[in-house]
Amino acid sequence: MTGVSGDSFNLEFYRSYTAREAWGLHAMAFDRSENDGFAALQHNWLLKRWNLPNAQANTYAGIGAGVAKREGASARPAAVGAFRADYETRRIYTAFEVKGMTSEAFNRSVTSVETGFAPYLAEFDELNTWIILQAKHTSGMDDNFDLIPKLRFFKDNIFVEAGVTHRGKPMASLMIHF
Amino acid sequence: MKTISAILFSALLTALSAKAAPDRVMTIKASVDGMVCAFCAQGLTAHFRNHDAISNIHVSLGRNLVILEERKGKSISDEEIAKAVERAGFDAPNNINRVATPFDDVKNAED
């Protein structure tokens, strides 16, 4: 998964080795003008999944270790952690996510809440469309809050979303299941 | 006479066991809860597409169904279907039905 949102850039590449566990690379640049960022090897777990007749809910957690770097400084060891919870039906979608990174270089956390709806009920082999509103807070930055209306599309193994923050900065995300 | 009976009985058993993998093509309907997101259900199709007893697969989000078409003369067990569904992150099917209705008819049915 890769994406840019406001001032931040996010790259995640995971390999699932069971239905509940995946590991991979998580890298993030928080502020393109200051060049703050980290790269880490991360392990994710599906903590609990509720498979309901017309809905699904999930909780996930992830931890990782890597390096963080501020512009002009040397790289420092960093630890990352993440928690996510979501609930969706074929018509509505909600998600909460918090990601944190700590190091001697700097600390950051990104908290995000998303809610959205599908304007039509799409089947498995059709183009799925979602209209989503995301509120995102990033700690330790001047412009630390973004409200992002966005469109999400997926078909087969490809997922894309695009939007614009309330400050007029573009947001885009791409995810592919291999 | 006993020998002839034993041979006939053995032939009957062989014929009955051959029925386990019927010559006619069967369509399997597996009811799976939680299939609300097409992107998240992609993993469901991966296992079945590579299975030599399966010639076709369709996922119906609206009917909570995984629909499989068995190849002529081949069969997949309920246990194997359940394991594949669980490996994709869903609970084992609530119900697995085998019908002689053609795959496309089951796929295009209203319910």
Side-chain angles (χ1 to χ4, degrees), chain B residues 22-68:
Chain B
D23 283 341
R24 61 184 172 170
V25 173
M26 300 297 284
T27 302
I28 300 168
K29 299 195 289 183
S31 300
V32 179
D33 283 344
M35 295 193 303
V36 293
C37 163
F39 191 67
C40 311
Q42 288 295 319
L44 268 172
T45 60
H47 175 83
F48 295 117
R49 283 198 199 288
N50 296 324
H51 197 287
D52 68 352
I54 301 299
S55 58
N56 228 330
I57 174 169
H58 176 74
V59 173
S60 171
L61 301 180
R63 293 185 289 160
N64 293 347
L65 276 183
V66 176
I67 303 166
L68 305 168

